[in-house]
Amino acid sequence: MSSVTASYPWTASPLIASAPMRLISGPPLAYEVSSAGGFGFLAAGVDVSGLAQNLADFKSLLAAAPIPSSKPDILPVGVGFILWGADLSLTVKVLSKPGNAPAAVWLFAPESPAQLKSWAEGIRKATNGKTKIWVQISSVADATEAVAVAGADLLVIQGADAGGHGRYKSAGLISLVPEVIDTVTAYCSENGLQVPGFIAAGGIADSRGVNAVVALGAHGAAMGSRYLASSEANIAKGYQDAVLRASDGGVSTTRTDVYDKLRGTTGWPKGYGGRGVTNKSYEDALSGVAFEENQKAYKTAEAMGNTGWEGAGARMTTYVGTGVGLVKSVIGAKEITRSARGESKV
Amino acid sequence: MSSVTASYPWTASPLIASAPMRLISGPPLAYEVSSAGGFGFLAAGVDVSGLAQNLADFKSLLAAAPIPSSKPDILPVGVGFILWGADLSLTVKVLSKPGNAPAAVWLFAPESPAQLKSWAEGIRKATNGKTKIWVQISSVADATEAVAVAGADLLVIQGADAGGHGRYKSAGLISLVPEVIDTVTAYCSENGLQVPGFIAAGGIADSRGVNAVVALGAHGAAMGSRYLASSEANIAKGYQDAVLRASDGGVSTTRTDVYDKLRGTTGWPKGYGGRGVTNKSYEDALSGVAFEENQKAYKTAEAMGNTGWEGAGARMTTYVGTGVGLVKSVIGAKEITRSARGESKV
């Protein structure tokens, strides 16, 4: 375990990462997580046009209050990329600028193994190997592939309970974490490769979940839903309130492409859907309401602002994992991070 | 934690139970589990006509080699019932006979809360309260209901990863266990009820999974898939070999009613399906092959015996959880039980 946190000297064990949630995980959230000894991630997502500014903003926060033990030539932060949509050459251009090397990138949803390979090679070249390659996977087969083609330094093992996008066909962490670790460790041993680090994600919202995945063999945990309800998340009040209200996530959420379609998000490779709270948009899609009509109703809800998330007829998207019922209040990301490590009570 | 194992004085902590798998969990398996300090379950399932004989066989094993610390008037074994199909009055008749009181019953899949209540009351009356009431649930709402209407002594928290039958809409244990425990504990406190014990099931196959659910707050774990590959399971060789071959359970298994339909099993309440390895029967159903044709092919496979589970065109049902990839060899149920508690290496 020490070998993983040793690569990120400002972090404490078990490693707690904030997931790179598109639009939501900005510099203030990432900074607070890293300054609490966790691993904060910025979300580039599919659009890297804001990456340079995000890094500049993070560096301003860092300059104002440096994070102890972070290395001078590596930023104590990570950046998440959704590979099918993100621009590698622009990414390389930004990250190769002096002082712009993040400690890690979190690569997700490649269109092909070749694309994953290109990204891993491109990033390593851009920052002279300073940036570690994290790859998020949700099956044993994808885990082995990520090590084989990208030489992943760390695997983010995403369980079926994860909120937002992930593969429809996946298992929960209880079985996925040990099988990935066993299989990848054996593969590395057979092929003379270094065994990567392992972080688990999906359904973890407090120190109990963190301790559970450590018992399963992981070095730490990544959380998304819990940080949606952080003071520093860049999130609409209506969305955040909907997260606090939801409970019994196995019943109240589902993984679907309905919200992608309504929002006009195209491009996710086959087999991926987004887990969120089931709402009127979802019910209408299921009961056969014409797409145009459903989308029109969605656009109307969108124009309502925060109230578009309220009531039985709510149509706005609440991407969240099955751990949503464990998220009861908005608190600071620092407190979330420390508490997840078991250092204090929330 | 001690309060739960104290109710079953022959057991050790954390409590390891073998799930009552219909047709498969017979007296030899249950006896070996209990004799290793675990909690063995017999499966009555939907058909209690064999219950008296099963109990008699278990008692013969017990007479030949008594299990230390078990109480003289309570059998160190449990019985699982699938409520929508099982006959309560016959069950009461059998269990009320002197010497036939099991230490617990495991109630699953009631047609209604009223049916669950009748069973809990009927069993308690039949054995003068000697038999503890375990209720298997897979949502927070069902957990609270089981305590409210049946006064459940213990909740078996079934996660989405579980093999065989369970609810389509459920979460993995990583989020389900802590939310059920928090909610039920608060409910009991508000209503002056005793907090039940909690056992987690679904995707657990070795001590790592057991330690994980203990970290989540459970008193122990129930395993099904792992005991399919025990020497004492009453299972076809073809089925058992298929369990050993399967891996990457999030990808290779799914929850569906296809196998129920092909096998002519009707009666499961709405919302339940069985998780098993996806095979040619499943693919044909999905791709629109006519039911009659698909069932005919299934019957042909069935007549083949063990080879009906073999090859890319296999059609026989392999009910199993996503932890199947962690099950690599057939060993004795005693060794499985002890190893799950962390007492020895498999």
Side-chain angles (χ1 to χ4, degrees):
Chain A
M1 190 174 301
S2 57
S3 70
V4 168
T5 49
S7 301
Y8 316 109
W10 76 93
T11 64
S13 183
L15 190 58
I16 307 295
S18 57
M21 297 177 281
R22 198 173 69 89
L23 307 176
I24 290 164
S25 301
L29 174 55
Y31 174 80
E32 288 298 298
V33 172
S34 286
S35 68
F39 202 134
F41 272 81
L42 300 167
V46 292
D47 178 9
V48 299
S49 64
L51 178 58
Q53 188 60 51
N54 267 339
L55 288 172
D57 291 348
F58 182 86
K59 287 193 279 186
S60 296
L61 293 168
L62 196 62
I67 295 176
S69 305
S70 58
K71 296 179 187 170
D73 59 340
I74 305 174
L75 295 173
V77 73
V79 185
F81 297 92
I82 295 172
L83 299 202
W84 62 259
D87 183 331
L88 175 57
S89 56
L90 180 53
T91 299
V92 165
K93 201 174 150 190
V94 173
L95 298 190
S96 59
K97 291 217 168 119
N100 267 4
V105 290
W106 170 320
L107 309 181
F108 182 45
E111 281 175 327
S112 65
Q115 189 183 44
L116 178 60
K117 188 176 198 287
S118 300
W119 272 80
E121 289 174 354
I123 301 276
R124 286 199 171 101
K125 204 172 162 194
T127 70
N128 292 316
K130 286 176 195 155
T131 302
K132 299 285 185 187
I133 307 296
W134 292 23
V135 182
Q136 179 168 261
I137 51 80
S138 56
S139 71
V140 177
D142 285 354
T144 310
E145 183 183 277
V147 171
V149 309
D153 298 301
L154 184 146
L155 294 174
V156 180
I157 305 173
Q158 184 191 32
D161 293 284
H165 283 81
R167 283 196 189 270
Y168 289 104
K169 292 208 72 63
S170 62
L173 294 175
I174 197 82
S175 58
L176 188 61
V177 170
E179 190 180 357
V180 163
I181 292 177
D182 287 352
T183 308
V184 167
T185 301
Y187 178 86
C188 289
S189 168
E190 284 159 19
N191 292 277
L193 301 169
Q194 197 177 343
V195 179
F198 300 100
I199 294 285
I204 304 164
D206 60 28
S207 62
R208 291 173 290 184
V210 173
N211 290 336
V213 299
V214 167
L216 293 169
H219 302 102
M223 301 191 292
S225 302
R226 176 60 269 204
Y227 287 110
L228 289 176
S230 68
S231 320
E232 298 82 2
N234 181 31
I235 184 171
K237 179 87 168 41
Y239 184 175
Q240 202 172 49
D241 287 346
V243 169
L244 298 181
R245 277 195 306 270
S247 63
D248 215 352
V251 177
S252 62
T253 73
T254 199
R255 192 173 297 288
T256 176
D257 65 355
V258 165
Y259 305 119
D260 280 331
K261 285 179 177 161
L262 291 174
R263 291 149 60 112
T265 307
T266 55
W268 279 98
K270 198 167 174 298
Y272 288 87
R275 179 182 290 282
V277 174
T278 56
N279 61 16
K280 195 72 171 70
S281 293
Y282 175 77
E283 290 161 16
D284 280 0
L286 237 67
S287 68
V289 169
F291 175 73
E292 292 70 20
E293 190 183 329
N294 201 7
Q295 194 174 45
K296 194 177 158 193
Y298 176 81
K299 298 279 181 197
T300 304
E302 201 173 23
M304 291 162 63
N306 289 324
T307 56
W309 274 278
E310 292 172 12
R315 290 177 178 275
M316 293 297 288
T317 309
T318 305
Y319 280 136
V320 77
T322 67
V324 65
L326 298 167
V327 181
K328 305 279 195 191
S329 62
V330 176
I331 54 174
K334 252 188 193 135
E335 190 182 347
I336 292 173
T337 307
R338 287 178 182 146
S339 170
R341 276 200 309 267
E343 286 169 23
S344 64
K345 286 266 178 197
V346 176
Chain B
M1 188 175 302
S2 57
S3 70
V4 168
T5 48
S7 302
Y8 317 109
W10 76 92
T11 65
S13 184
L15 190 58
I16 307 296
S18 56
M21 297 177 283
R22 198 172 68 89
L23 308 176
I24 292 165
S25 301
L29 174 56
Y31 174 80
E32 287 297 298
V33 172
S34 287
S35 69
F39 202 134
F41 272 82
L42 301 167
V46 292
D47 179 9
V48 299
S49 64
L51 177 58
Q53 188 60 51
N54 268 336
L55 288 172
D57 290 347
F58 182 85
K59 288 193 278 186
S60 297
L61 292 168
L62 195 63
I67 295 177
S69 305
S70 57
K71 297 178 187 171
D73 58 340
I74 305 174
L75 294 173
V77 72
V79 185
F81 297 92
I82 295 171
L83 300 202
W84 62 259
D87 183 331
L88 174 57
S89 56
L90 181 53
T91 299
V92 165
K93 200 174 152 191
V94 174
L95 298 191
S96 58
K97 292 219 168 116
N100 267 5
V105 290
W106 169 321
L107 308 182
F108 181 44
E111 280 173 331
S112 65
Q115 190 182 41
L116 178 60
K117 188 175 197 289
S118 300
W119 271 81
E121 288 173 356
I123 302 277
R124 285 199 171 101
K125 202 171 163 193
T127 70
N128 293 316
K130 286 177 196 155
T131 301
K132 300 283 185 187
I133 307 296
W134 293 22
V135 181
Q136 179 168 260
I137 51 81
S138 57
S139 71
V140 177
D142 285 355
T144 310
E145 183 182 278
V147 171
V149 309
D153 298 301
L154 184 145
L155 294 174
V156 181
I157 305 173
Q158 184 190 35
D161 293 284
H165 283 81
R167 283 196 189 270
Y168 288 104
K169 294 209 71 61
S170 63
L173 295 175
I174 197 85
S175 57
L176 187 61
V177 170
E179 191 180 355
V180 164
I181 291 177
D182 287 352
T183 308
V184 167
T185 302
Y187 179 86
C188 290
S189 169
E190 283 158 21
N191 293 278
L193 301 169
Q194 196 176 342
V195 180
F198 301 100
I199 293 286
I204 303 164
D206 60 28
S207 62
R208 291 173 291 184
V210 173
N211 290 336
V213 299
V214 168
L216 293 169
H219 302 103
M223 301 191 294
S225 302
R226 176 60 269 204
Y227 287 109
L228 288 177
S230 68
S231 319
E232 297 84 1
N234 182 29
I235 184 172
K237 177 88 168 44
Y239 185 175
Q240 200 170 51
D241 287 346
V243 169
L244 298 181
R245 277 196 305 271
S247 63
D248 215 352
V251 177
S252 63
T253 74
T254 200
R255 191 173 299 288
T256 176
D257 65 355
V258 165
Y259 305 120
D260 279 331
K261 286 178 176 162
L262 291 174
R263 290 149 62 113
T265 308
T266 55
W268 278 97
K270 198 167 174 297
Y272 288 86
R275 181 182 289 281
V277 174
T278 57
N279 62 17
K280 195 73 169 71
S281 294
Y282 175 78
E283 289 161 17
D284 280 0
L286 236 65
S287 67
V289 169
F291 175 73
E292 292 70 22
E293 189 183 329
N294 201 7
Q295 194 174 43
K296 193 176 160 193
Y298 176 81
K299 298 279 180 198
T300 305
E302 201 173 23
M304 290 163 64
N306 289 324
T307 56
W309 274 277
E310 291 172 14
R315 291 179 178 275
M316 292 299 286
T317 309
T318 305
Y319 281 136
V320 77
T322 67
V324 64
L326 298 166
V327 181
K328 306 280 196 187
S329 61
V330 176
I331 55 175
K334 252 189 194 134
E335 189 181 347
I336 292 173
T337 306
R338 288 177 180 146
S339 171
R341 279 201 306 267
E343 287 170 22
S344 64
K345 286 267 178 197
V346 177

